[in-house]
Amino acid sequence: MKYRRLGNSGLKVSEIGLGSWLTYGETIGNQNAIDCIHQAYELGINFFDTANAYNRGEAEKVVGEALKSYSRESYVLATKVFFPMGDGPNDRGLSRKHIMEQCNASLKRLGVDYLDLYQCHRFDEETPTEETLRALDDLVQQGKILYYGVSEWTAAQITDAVHITKEKNLRPLVSNQPIYNMLVRYIEKEVLPVSEKEGIGQVVFSPLAQGILTGKYKPSQVIPSNTRAANDNINRWIKSYLNDDVLERVARLEGIANDLGIKLSQLAVAWILRQPGVSSAIVGASRPEQVTENVKASEVELSNDVLTEIESILKEIDGFVPIW
């Protein structure tokens, strides 16, 4: 496993991170989830990402249970705040009240004294950005979090936040967590350039496009019954990928992977890691062997010729926008 700095901070995270969206505490049995986390740790993954909203805190509980086997200083633990955690008017968003209360709740569920990274899960149009940033800065001062970041903020929102932190002498943002994969590349236009300029690292999610970039779904074929796409509880975000135009190009990408002697999933993650602005690619896993397969992407080096060939295929589906 290789490690990269999280933006301009001194914190180092594994190039491959392990996430828990749509899996732990929800569709995957707790012991299986714990086995995946243990496998990840043993293979050198030190970055574990979750969120309070993942099944209303259940994912955090599973992640905390798995990581208690290891010394706290040996891993980087990230969670998020924004989405509703109750039915009250203050049980959501990025107000000072919600941030403070949910940070304490996450710490309790995770069973730790501090978070390495606390992230704003989305932008809150109803709360002044300065209020949000001051609350996060205070959490750092209190020792409850070490760093903070955002998720799926636009380039303009990131720029505004950076300006506020500098003007008010607050601690800086260190990360952004956007979707990024071979099929969804919107961050390349504005978010990546702004982030690199301001020293903000990307910890990207869905690098395998909900499993599309594993090659398990084939054009004009029935969806396998044991896959995410066949599960109506979690297939909301994958359906828009499932068209023959996309899948035919994915098949061509798999041909490139085969020529290189690697899995398509490894090619997809290695392609993401070619970007110097990416600090970590967060994969999901329902079985330990999937973790093992994905970790090998950290060893893959893609030549300029291979990258050019990949780009020629991806340009044919440029403009594809999935529902997620």
Side-chain angles (χ1 to χ4, degrees):
M1 179 58 62
K2 299 176 184 177
Y3 302 87
R4 299 184 179 190
R5 289 172 61 197
L6 185 57
N8 277 353
S9 78
L11 184 65
K12 294 182 179 179
V13 295
S14 49
E15 286 188 337
I16 314 294
L18 185 64
S20 54
W21 180 41
L22 299 178
T23 49
Y24 306 154
E26 188 166 358
T27 60
I28 305 303
N30 287 0
Q31 187 54 55
N32 202 22
I34 290 171
D35 290 343
C36 288
I37 293 170
H38 286 179
Q39 179 74 349
Y41 184 92
E42 297 303 322
L43 291 172
I45 289 178
N46 77 339
F47 181 47
F48 297 91
D49 180 80
T50 187
N52 63 349
Y54 296 165
N55 203 20
R56 289 287 178 94
E58 292 304 310
E60 288 183 326
K61 292 177 183 178
V62 175
V63 171
E65 176 67 21
L67 291 176
K68 74 178 185 180
S69 303
Y70 307 111
S71 60
R72 179 63 187 88
E73 65 273 13
S74 67
Y75 58 84
V76 177
L77 181 57
T79 192
K80 311 180 195 71
V81 59
F82 171 79
F83 287 111
M85 292 298 289
D87 298 326
N90 292 306
D91 292 336
R92 66 200 68 203
L94 297 177
S95 68
R96 181 179 184 86
K97 176 177 173 62
H98 189 61
I99 287 174
M100 293 297 185
E101 291 172 349
Q102 286 306 310
C103 181
N104 289 332
S106 288
L107 289 172
K108 183 176 180 180
R109 285 189 291 264
L110 288 161
V112 295
D113 295 325
Y114 68 92
L115 302 167
D116 296 285
L117 180 63
Y118 200 37
Q119 302 159 100
C120 300
H121 210 157
R122 291 295 185 272
F123 184 77
D124 187 355
E125 300 283 355
E126 298 183 349
T127 300
T129 302
E130 184 177 338
E131 176 182 339
T132 297
L133 296 173
R134 283 193 179 278
L136 294 168
D137 188 76
D138 285 345
L139 286 173
V140 176
Q141 182 66 32
Q142 294 168 13
K144 293 181 178 180
I145 68 175
L146 302 186
Y147 302 91
Y148 63 85
V150 299
S151 177
E152 285 296 349
W153 284 28
T154 67
Q157 291 162 350
I158 291 171
T159 299
D160 183 49
V162 168
H163 175 75
I164 292 171
T165 59
K166 291 179 178 179
E167 181 180 304
K168 304 300 180 180
N169 198 29
L170 304 175
R171 291 167 180 83
L173 294 173
V174 300
S175 67
N176 175 48
Q177 185 174 137
I179 186 173
Y180 185 48
N181 56 57
M182 285 177 158
L183 307 177
V184 185
R185 304 173 61 179
Y186 85 90
I187 66 169
E188 293 177 356
K189 184 176 181 180
E190 295 182 345
V191 172
L192 268 177
V194 164
S195 296
E196 291 190 67
K197 176 185 175 184
E198 302 297 347
I200 296 169
Q202 309 299 303
V203 287
V204 305
F205 72 90
S206 201
L208 300 181
Q210 297 288 297
I212 296 295
L213 292 170
T214 64
K216 69 179 70 173
Y217 305 104
K218 307 296 184 182
S220 303
Q221 291 188 11
V222 176
I223 295 172
S225 60
N226 61 342
T227 61
R228 177 175 296 178
N231 186 337
D232 288 338
N233 293 323
I234 58 173
N235 66 6
R236 171 186 171 190
W237 292 274
I238 196 174
K239 287 183 177 179
S240 57
Y241 290 106
L242 296 172
N243 67 75
D244 284 352
D245 185 52
V246 170
L247 295 180
E248 286 168 3
R249 277 126 187 104
V250 170
R252 289 166 58 188
L253 292 170
E254 187 168 21
I256 294 176
N258 291 338
D259 290 343
L260 294 174
I262 60 177
K263 300 285 188 179
L264 175 58
S265 59
Q266 295 162 352
L267 177 72
V269 174
W271 179 87
I272 285 173
L273 294 176
R274 85 200 189 286
Q275 287 280 9
V278 171
S279 297
S280 186
I282 302 170
V283 301
S286 57
R287 302 188 308 276
E289 54 266 32
Q290 292 175 328
V291 179
T292 302
E293 178 179 307
N294 290 332
V295 161
K296 292 178 181 179
S298 186
E299 306 169 358
V300 176
E301 298 286 343
L302 301 178
S303 69
N304 288 333
D305 288 344
V306 169
L307 290 173
T308 299
E309 186 177 1
I310 290 172
E311 189 64 26
S312 68
I313 295 173
L314 297 184
K315 279 185 176 180
E316 296 179 22
I317 51 176
D318 187 34
F320 166 72
V321 179
I323 299 170
W324 56 274

